Amino acid sequence: MLKEPVKIILRRFRDRTLESGLLIIAVALGIGAFTAGLSLIMNTAEFSNEIMRSPEYKELVISTRSEADEMETPVIEKLVQETAVLTSADLDAAELAPDVEWAYIQNNSRLHLVTADSNNFGPPEGMEPSEGENVMRRMQISEEEIAAAEADSSIIIADFDEISGYEVTPGFFNSWDITAAAGSLFSESDLTGTDNLIVLGDSLAELLAGDDMDKSELLGKKLLSREGYQTIIGILDSVSDSYDQKFFSPYKDQTSGLSGFRRMFMDTQLRFAVNDPEYLDSTAALLGDWFETQFGEDQVIISNPRAEAEQLIARNTGISLLILFLSAAGFFIALVNVSNILMSRVLRMKKNVGILMALGASKKSISNLFLTEALVLAVSGAVAGALLAVPLSSYMESAAGIEAGSWVYISIGAVIAAAMTTLFGLIPSRQFMKIDPAQAMRSAS
Amino acid sequence: MIKLENISKQYDLGGTKVDALKDISLEIKRGDYAAIMGPSGSGKSTLMHILGILDSSTGGNYYLEDYDITALPDKEQARIRNKHFGFIFQSFNLFPELSAIENVMLPMSYAGIPQKTRKEKAIQLLQEVGLEHRMTHLPTMLSGGEQQRVAIARSLSNDPDLILADEPTGNLPSDKGEEIMQILESLNRRGVTVVMVTHNPEQGKRAGYVIELRDGMLTPALEVQNA
């Protein structure tokens, strides 16, 4: 049960609906903007740190021009006329640069799966391959073959058409610190072998295993694809959404058949991961020299994804800081105004304060009373402000490319802002600290 | 009970010093019924405020039960006002946000009395002033006489030793004023010390004695009517 002096304050707050409403709105808007601004900058910083820790940003990517034209990463050097062809042998350049920890190739790849009812797969109409492109024709599979495969328990027939993944060299797994949950990863010797081996990402394995099979049972079985039978030798631990849905196969240089042919269309990118991002520039210089002596001037392009990411982060941080500054300024102006309105409220209360003192209120209890009023204002403003800040900050964060920003900062921001509101709300009541009750009673009577 | 020694009070009005009280010495004994009288501006209210420790003097000493309380810390002053004094004002000074019973309960909340006891005591006091049927009404719904009776009930809530009434009938028609006077007199008969500021010579005559002020000074003789 509330004490009577508190009832006076709360009922005054309630009875002056318009004034109290405006006060709460002003505080809520200020707290909402400030909290969203704070949350934005904290989440930007956190997100930046997090993505900078990704192995991707400890790498240099070496490619030839046709690749580089499609890349979004900034180009450090650009070649004039393309004659270079990169192969896995060029990964040996890593030995020249002492700070390179891992060197590997990671190319996009795709497998076209044979499903039980997709026996008439072929190029779209009007796009029949010409004579020279015959090699591109994928393995044709007859209905009998499918039927036989279905009967063979060592063959997996998927119920979807296509899976995407990467052709990689073993250094990829080292660089990303990816391990096998079951089975094994492939090794250097598999790069030159003739078998089609694949390793499956965690969710892809579960998808292929379906409901009636454990994913570990996939090991050793063959996946039927237009590109041939793919022997499943390993299943990866869960890493990230983007890799869990992929398959990984050994990268093969200009070998015979399909992959050799595709090499002509898709250039190889070499990736060199350094142990510390600090050495990216010096390593880029070393590798640049080496590739220049190998292929001639301006034949390959060395790009540094981290440099672009850093630029982007610097821009986002700058914008977030500006937003925080503006919202903090707005909040401060709101607080000064709130303090003013409270001051006029307190002045109207002056005679009542004198009476309360006559009836036994000490100056401390008077100041507690106004603390109650400031707290009511601050807490209701903070709750409404936080409710405003949630959509506002999630909108701003998605505009800045931040996923899943933490709500912790909204709560922290709201608490800080509420404390500041309380502080400003208490300023007006300080004037009672120096006067006698008689003075207070005289002033407004 | 109360002894004032050479009390003076100066106000500083924009550089000019104004003497509201000059060299006041007086004694109020337990059970007294005193009236403070004098023309407007003679310092009646200032004396009243000093007696009630609502205002501080600029010179002299104030003894309450032989303790010098001239310069007590604020918290102690508040405690004395709360526990030992009851105030009744000309304009009632009830809180419009609180019902009659809540107004009476208010001083008890500063005394740290639990809610249930506060309520029981407030009901009993409102019954004594004949307002048991108006307890949940807000002051705006009460007549002036009723409001002053609520204020009297409020002043009695912590069983004070001294009631300080500042023109308690000043805002009331004479019949209602008479009711208030009778309540105050019955309180005095029960042993409560009453000090009342009044303009009304009739009321002054009914008091045990009159403290007469003129220009901030006591008139030479204390008129003692009922020795």
Side-chain angles (χ1 to χ4, degrees), chain A residues 136-149:
Chain A
M136 205 184 165
R137 263 213 135 101
R138 295 185 174 89
M139 196 169 113
Q140 294 298 305
I141 294 165
S142 65
E143 282 183 46
E144 294 74 37
E145 232 178 315
I146 293 176

Side-chain angles (χ1 to χ4, degrees), chain B residues 172-226:
Chain B
L172 297 175
S174 54
D175 57 329
K176 299 294 171 192
E178 180 53 33
E179 282 178 21
I180 299 301
M181 287 304 291
Q182 281 175 8
I183 295 176
L184 288 177
E185 279 160 16
S186 78
L187 286 172
N188 179 242
R189 279 195 296 276
R190 273 158 48 186
V192 180
T193 314
V194 176
V195 175
M196 173 178 69
V197 170
T198 180
H199 263 112
N200 185 332
E202 290 302 313
Q203 290 177 359
K205 278 180 201 155
R206 290 163 71 165
Y209 55 90
V210 172
I211 299 166
E212 182 126 21
L213 282 171
R214 207 166 291 270
D215 301 325
M217 288 180 288
L218 290 178
T219 49
L222 287 176
E223 279 181 57
V224 181
Q225 294 177 333
N226 313 331

Side-chain angles (χ1 to χ4, degrees), chain A residues 1-5 7-8 11-12 14-16 349 351-366 369 436-439 441-442, chain B residues 9 11 49 53-56 74-75 77-79 81-82 87 89 91 93 95-99 102-103 105-107 109-110 112 115 118 138 154 158:
Chain A
M1 198 60 197
L2 290 170
K3 290 196 165 187
E4 287 73 26
K7 283 185 192 167
I8 296 177
R11 287 180 192 168
R12 280 175 70 89
R14 182 198 63 193
D15 294 343
R16 289 158 176 74
M349 268 292 272
K351 186 184 179 193
N352 286 339
V353 169
I355 299 166
L356 281 177
M357 286 166 127
L359 297 180
S362 63
K363 285 173 182 173
K364 186 157 178 272
S365 57
I366 294 293
L369 206 54
D436 287 316
Q439 253 174 294
M441 278 198 286
R442 256 198 311 275
Chain B
K9 176 74 183 177
Y11 288 111
H49 288 153
I53 6 177
L54 296 173
D55 211 345
S56 51
D74 168 72
K75 201 180 161 195
Q77 290 186 352
R79 197 187 62 81
R81 286 194 294 267
N82 181 240
F87 292 93
F89 305 97
S91 50
N93 287 346
F95 289 93
E97 296 85 1
L98 300 180
S99 64
E102 286 168 337
N103 266 290
M105 287 161 77
L106 194 142
S109 80
Y110 283 120
Q115 152 85 11
R118 292 210 295 276
L138 291 175
R154 179 175 72 180
N158 282 328

